[in-house]
Each structure stands twice: as C-alpha cells, then as structure tokens.
C-alpha cells in the first residue's frame, strides 16, 4: 500500500481562512509513505509543519524531500519542520540547481539566515543535505525510484515521477501553459505523467484568470486535464489552488474537471484537500494497474475537507 497525503495544496502564499476551510490554505507539501520505509516529501511549503506533527521528534526522523523549485511557497515550511530540529534527525533535500553559478545549498544559505530568519539551516540541529537534482536525474531512495524532468515555469523547475511498489505518481505543482493558445505539452511533463496511476498537477487558473496572468507560470484546470489524459494517466488531483479561490470555487472547478476528465478517459478526478490520503496498491489479480480507495465525497461529488481514503485520521 502506498499512501499519498496532501498537507498543503495552495499556490503562491498561505491563506487559511473560513472561506477555504475544506480544502485548506497551506502551501505545497505532499507525502508518500509505505510501511517500514522512509517517507518521501514533495515540496516544503507551509503544509510541511502538519506533516511534521505525524513524525518522530526524538532525533530518529529520516526522509527524502524533492522540491520542485525554491520559490517561497515551496520552501518556507522547512525551518518549522519540528522533526529535523532534533539532533540525529536527517533530511535530504533535492531540487534543481537554481542558477548555473548558484547551487541549491548556496541558495538556501542565502535566504535561510539572519536578517531574513533567526537561524541558518546548520543551526536546526538535525542534519540537512542539499543536493542539486536536475533534468533527467534519477535516484533510488529506499525502494522508490524518483526521476526529475524540467517543467516550464518561472525559473528552474522540476516535476517528479515516483515509481514505487508498482505504483506511479507524477507530481507537477507549477506548470506554465503555452501562451500561444495551443495545447502543446512539454516533453518532460508528458514523460513524467505517462501511464501514471495518479497525476498531481497545477490547476491554479480559470480561463479568465489565465487571460490576465498568462505569463505567471501556471495553467488552467482544463490544461491539467489535457496533460493527464494525453499521457494516459488514470487519475488526476487538481493542485496548487489559487489563494483567492474559496471552497465553492474549487468545487465548481472540480465538477467541470470531472466532466472533462470523463470525456477524455480519466478514471477519477479529485481536488486536493489538506488531510486527504489517497491509497494506491497493485493487486496481483489486476496487473494492468492499481486500485484506489476513493476519498469521501458529498452528494454533489465534491471531496470533503480532511477525507481520507481508508477512513478519517
């Protein structure tokens, strides 16, 4: 069983408020967990703090984080990740090299220090390794294979493909939709999503949003459906919700995406909500693909805040 849990689902800035209580207002963070294996963390946004509440804080924590890029909304949770504040804890952080003359470790060192923050990464007590991880790089971590490909955005940005226990998860949190009106898909993004059991994809904009923000580095819900369906993926999780989008707005986008996804052959479309776990496994009797216990939905087919595939946590 592979559990994929959403801890932060927003883009751009944390924005918790009454209007988005069901889907949540923390920035990007997703965990991939398997019994007896080290956790894999996708992005280190403010949702990371809540993932930390489920992990040991006695110095025994160890894990691997794959960061798409180092914009604030994807890294600002790191110094508030309590498990790595204890001596003996170990976290390896991989992300694309921000610039040819600037390593990942140097970039973190520039903004995680006084006067911008009280302490440096070295002063967090636990040990953090920063590793440049660029287009085409692949690594095996505790039985899982993770591959990076460059994805169009603003600045150096990766998407990730995680292959583990017969399950494929594609994670593309920020994706620049073509601004020329075409539906072209970048080769790297398509490769990451090919045949995936679950695609977690940027779905920040409506068409109206995109018309005024076409060069902001994101895409529409329709384009997210297009990417997943073209790649032959099974399931799509709409992600990186706009901070201005209240729960009812996300509900409406989800209903639209489900209609479009069904027409394009997607088995399931959900809108990522904080606290939701999607559990995937490959059954021997169905070698063609895994099954998923669906998240709880209401009478309108909308995901409930905090719903978990195997029951509430």
């Amino acid at each position: 069983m592979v559990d994929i849990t959403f801890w932060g689902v927003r883009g751009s800035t944390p924005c918790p408020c009454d209007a988005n209580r069901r889907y949540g207002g923390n920035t990007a963070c997703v965990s991939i967990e398997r019994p007896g294996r080290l956790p894999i963390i996708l992005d280190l946004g403010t949702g990371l703090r809540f993932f930390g509440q489920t992990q040991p804080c006695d110095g025994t924590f160890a894990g691997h984080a794959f960061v798409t890029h180092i914009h604030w909304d994807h890294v600002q949770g790191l110094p508030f990740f309590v498990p790595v504040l204890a001596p003996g804890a170990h976290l390896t952080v991989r992300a694309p090299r921000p610039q040819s003359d600037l390593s990942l470790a140097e970039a973190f060192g520039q903004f995680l220090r006084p006067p911008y923050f009280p302490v440096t990464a070295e002063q967090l007590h636990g040990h953090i390794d920063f590793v440049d991880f660029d287009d085409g790089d692949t690594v095996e971590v505790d039985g899982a294979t993770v591959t990076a490909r460059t994805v169009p955005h603003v600045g150096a940005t990766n998407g990730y493909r995680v292959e583990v226990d017969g399950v494929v998860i594609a994670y593309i949190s920020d994706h620049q939709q073509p601004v020329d009106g075409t539906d072209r898909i970048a080769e790297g993004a398509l490769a990451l999503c090919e045949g995936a059991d679950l695609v977690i994809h940027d779905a920040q904009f409506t068409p109206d949003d995109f018309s005024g923000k076409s060069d902001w580095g994101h895409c529409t819900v329709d384009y997210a459906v297009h990417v997943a369906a073209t790649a032959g993926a099974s399931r799509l999780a709409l992600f990186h919700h706009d901070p201005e989008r209240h729960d009812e707005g996300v509900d409406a986008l989800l209903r639209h995406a489900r209609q479009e996804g069904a027409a394009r052959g997607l088995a399931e479309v959900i809108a990522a909500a904080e606290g939701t776990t999607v559990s995937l496994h490959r059954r021997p009797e169905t070698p063609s693909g895994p099954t998923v216990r669906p998240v709880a939905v209401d009478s309108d087919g909308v995901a409930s805040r905090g719903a978990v595939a195997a029951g509430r946590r």
Side-chain angles (χ1 to χ4, degrees):
M1 185 69 68
V2 180
D3 288 339
I4 303 102
T5 302
F6 298 98
W7 302 101
V9 300
R10 293 284 162 176
S12 305
T13 183
C15 56
C17 63
D18 286 344
N20 61 32
R21 289 196 328 179
R22 280 192 290 114
Y23 287 102
N26 283 286
T27 61
C29 183
V30 178
S31 65
I32 300 175
E33 297 178 273
R34 302 152 290 153
R37 301 282 190 163
L38 298 181
I40 294 171
I41 308 166
L42 301 171
D43 278 328
L44 302 173
T46 58
L48 180 67
R49 186 171 71 88
F50 297 94
F51 172 63
Q53 293 174 359
T54 71
Q55 300 299 302
C57 298
D58 58 359
T60 61
F61 174 83
H64 294 268
F66 293 85
V67 175
T68 53
H69 60 307
I70 60 169
H71 288 169
W72 287 344
D73 52 326
H74 293 258
V75 299
Q76 63 195 126
L78 180 58
F80 303 99
F81 185 49
V82 175
V84 85
L85 303 184
H90 189 190
L91 177 66
T92 300
V93 177
R94 293 178 174 86
R97 188 180 183 93
Q99 298 171 185
S100 60
D101 60 347
L102 183 70
S103 71
L104 182 65
E106 291 168 338
F108 268 87
Q110 286 184 355
F111 63 77
L112 190 53
R113 65 175 178 84
Y116 312 109
F117 194 76
V119 298
T120 66
E122 291 78 12
Q123 294 172 312
L124 295 179
H125 301 304
H127 184 72
I128 304 175
D129 287 319
F130 295 100
V131 180
D132 294 336
F133 197 67
D134 297 311
D135 185 37
D137 286 350
T138 298
V139 65
E140 183 174 335
V141 292
D142 203 13
T145 300
V146 184
T147 301
R149 294 297 303 268
T150 295
V151 173
H153 185 49
V154 181
T157 303
N158 283 345
Y160 294 107
R161 180 181 177 92
V162 182
E163 301 175 65
V164 53
D165 296 348
V167 169
V168 176
I169 302 121
Y171 179 74
I172 303 178
S173 67
D174 296 53
H175 190 181
Q176 172 66 62
Q177 180 174 334
V179 299
D180 58 5
T182 69
D183 60 2
R184 291 178 295 104
I185 304 172
E187 178 184 349
L190 200 58
L192 293 175
C193 298
E194 183 179 2
D197 300 297
L198 175 66
V199 172
I200 303 168
H201 197 283
D202 180 351
Q204 184 157 341
F205 290 153
T206 65
D208 285 345
D209 295 333
F210 188 75
S211 66
K213 304 174 182 178
S214 60
D215 60 349
W216 285 29
H218 300 289
C219 69
T220 63
V221 169
D222 289 282
Y223 190 72
V225 171
H226 173 59
V227 171
T230 302
S234 298
R235 299 166 182 86
L236 169 65
L238 307 177
F239 189 70
H240 210 269
H241 308 311
D242 194 283
E244 297 293 332
R245 192 93 57 224
H246 52 65
D247 287 337
E248 289 74 16
V250 177
D251 291 344
L253 292 180
L254 175 59
R255 286 190 288 267
H256 172 74
R258 282 181 166 159
Q259 292 175 348
E260 295 299 312
R264 293 288 303 270
L266 293 177
E268 185 177 17
V269 179
I270 67 170
E274 290 176 24
T276 296
T277 293
V278 176
S279 297
L280 298 173
H281 64 97
R282 186 180 295 279
R283 295 188 302 179
E285 65 271 23
T286 56
S288 60
T291 60
V292 59
R293 291 172 286 171
V295 298
V297 296
D298 63 19
S299 58
D300 292 323
V302 172
S304 300
R305 173 73 167 89
V308 178
R312 288 193 178 269
R313 271 186 188 164

